[in-house]
Amino acid sequence: MKEFSDWAFTFTTSFLYYMDYDSLDEQTKNLYRQGMSAFGGISPTYHIALAENAPVIVWNFHSLLVMIQMCFSFMLTDSDCDMKLCKHCGRAFIASRKGNEFCSPKCKNQYNVYKTRARKKEE
């Protein structure tokens, strides 16, 4: 479970880094860069091929581990997948219902408490 959580962090940071680059502060960018460095130069390569008159991406995985990591990253970034990242602690979890954003009631409560405290501080 710990290894999958680490993979989730690595791939999610890679995705979010490019999607939100302009809105990130420098500290967050550095955190994302550290996550992406975990690839260690073994990221998969791909090429575009025509299959039945439609372009498709053909992946070239250098090892089984890289393939598993890539499949896991696609699951995490697919909005229709039941696998989610907790909004509070960042752990990967299987959502029991659509719209679940937290891995547990404890995380949901802590998130709301911290959010309320931050709002009171601003006022």
Side-chain angles (χ1 to χ4, degrees):
M1 188 70 166
K2 172 72 172 126
E3 192 165 339
F4 281 112
S5 295
D6 293 343
W7 289 349
F9 174 78
T10 300
F11 293 112
T12 304
T13 54
S14 301
F15 178 76
L16 294 176
Y17 180 80
Y18 291 109
M19 295 299 293
D20 300 332
Y21 185 83
D22 294 333
S23 62
L24 299 174
D25 61 25
E26 197 57 37
Q27 181 179 6
T28 305
K29 286 180 186 176
N30 285 333
L31 179 63
Y32 284 173
R33 287 181 193 122
Q34 288 173 4
M36 287 187 293
S37 70
F39 274 114
I42 60 166
S43 60
T45 59
Y46 69 93
H47 67 274
I48 305 295
L50 288 178
E52 299 179 21
N53 298 327
V56 295
I57 297 175
V58 178
W59 293 97
N60 180 17
F61 297 102
H62 307 292
S63 70
L64 179 60
L65 177 62
V66 173
M67 189 205 78
I68 292 169
Q69 290 173 332
M70 194 69 166
C71 290
F72 188 67
S73 68
F74 285 136
M75 288 174 58
L76 284 173
T77 58
D78 181 3
S79 60
D80 292 333
C81 182
D82 291 337
M83 186 173 287
K84 304 288 182 189
L85 288 177
C86 181
K87 195 173 179 177
H88 177 66
C89 69
R91 287 189 212 145
F93 71 99
I94 304 296
S96 58
R97 290 179 299 176
K98 281 228 186 266
N100 277 10
E101 297 178 305
F102 303 96
C103 64
S104 67
K106 179 181 175 184
C107 269
K108 182 176 183 177
N109 185 45
Q110 285 179 338
Y111 176 84
N112 289 329
V113 167
Y114 294 153
K115 188 173 155 184
T116 302
R117 287 179 184 166
R119 199 174 326 132
K120 285 181 181 179
K121 246 184 187 179
E122 287 177 5
E123 294 172 357

